[in-house]
Amino acid sequence: MQKIKVITFGEILLRLSPDWATNKAAIFVGGAEANVAASLATWGTPVTYISKVPDNGLSRQVLQQLQNVGVDTGRMLLGGDRIGAYYLAQGSDLKHAEVVYDRKYSSFADIKPNTVNWEEALGDAEWFHWSAISPALNEDAAIICKEVLEAAKRKGMTISVDLNYRSKLWKYGKDPVEVMPELAHYCHLIMGNIWASKMMLGTQLDEQALNVDEKDVYLDTAMKVAQEIVEHYRQCNRVAFTFRFSSGESHNLYYATYFENDKLYVSQQRETNEVVDRVGSGDSFMGGLIHAQLNGFTPQQTIEFAAAAAYSKLFRQGDFNLTPKESILQLIQQ
C-alpha cells in the first residue's frame, strides 16, 4: 500500500447544474479540496481527502466517486445529517452571482471543536492542504481549521492554503481579514490572486495602477504583494497568483506567477473561446503546485505545470480535472 503524501481537508459538496431547456440537471461531486485531491490522484500523487459526511448510502456513493479516481477516503469523518450542495449554471464561475449555496447544517459545517484527534487523522503524510472556504462557514469551522493546522505544524508537515473567496459565504459576523491572517501564519505556500490577498490578508494593492489593465502592471503588483506576504508571514516562502480574465461566457485569458527566493516566475499566457466548465480551474492550479514540488520541479517548471493544469480544466465538465499528466506536459511544449 502506497504511503499517503498529501492530505486535503474541506467540505465535500454536490454541484447541481440545471439545464432548464431540457428540465434536466447534471450532478457532480466536488468541493475545492476534493478537486485538488482528484487532480493529485490522477497524476499519481498518493492523497487522502478528509471531510465529514453522513453515514448513509448516498455518502458511500459520493465517496466512491473519489475512490474511482484514486483518492483515499479511509480517514473520512462520519456523522451528521446531510452533504452540502450548491447550484450553478453550466459554464459559470463560482464567483458568479448565480451561484446558490445550500450548506447550512451540513455534516462538515457541524463539526465541533475538540472532537477530532487530528494528529491521528493526519498520520505520517508530508503535506497538508486547506482553503479559505472552510473558515468562511462559521466560527466553529474557523476554530477547527486552527486545530488541524496546529496538529500539522507539530508534525512538521508542509502546509498550503488557497485564498479562494466566496462572496456568498462569510455570513457569521466576521470579515475574512479578521480570521485568515492568524491561520495563514501556519502556511509555507500561499496561493490565490492579488485581489483575494488584499481581502483575506489585508495586503496592499494600488487599485488606481491596476485600472490601467496592463500585464506588466499586474506582474509588478504580483511581485510586490508576494514580497509583502513573505515578509509578514515568516513561515511562508512561496506565493502563487493566478490571473484569469473573461470577456464572455466561453472566453478565458490565463497566466500565473510563482514567487520563491525573491524571484517571480511567470507562466505562459493562454487564451481560449471554448471554455466548457470553469469550476475547479483554481483547484487544478493548486494541485499542480503541490504535485510539482513533491516531484522536484524547478520553480519555472512548477508554475508552467500548475498553469497548464488549470488551463486544461477549462475544457473538462464537472468539478474534477482528470486530464492526464502526459497531456499537461504536452500542452506546456506546444
Side-chain angles (χ1 to χ4, degrees), residues 108-126:
F108 184 87
D110 281 349
I111 300 175
K112 301 303 179 188
N114 302 309
T115 60
V116 179
N117 183 337
W118 294 115
E119 300 232 0
E120 181 179 327
L122 296 177
D124 60 354
E126 301 173 28

Side-chain angles (χ1 to χ4, degrees), residues 217-228:
V217 177
Y218 289 127
L219 295 181
D220 181 62
T221 303
M223 180 72 169
K224 291 176 180 176
V225 176
Q227 287 175 323
E228 183 180 349

Side-chain angles (χ1 to χ4, degrees), residues 255-288:
Y255 56 90
T257 63
Y258 177 71
F259 178 86
E260 184 177 7
N261 293 326
D262 208 35
K263 183 175 179 180
L264 191 74
Y265 300 86
V266 183
S267 77
Q268 298 178 51
Q269 177 175 301
R270 296 181 174 86
E271 189 169 10
T272 181
N273 287 296
E274 300 176 351
V275 171
V276 173
D277 197 334
R278 301 180 191 278
V279 176
S281 175
D283 306 322
S284 300
F285 180 79
M286 187 72 244

Side-chain angles (χ1 to χ4, degrees), residues 11 36 46 114 147 159:
E11 182 170 18
V36 173
N114 302 309
E147 286 182 2
I159 301 172

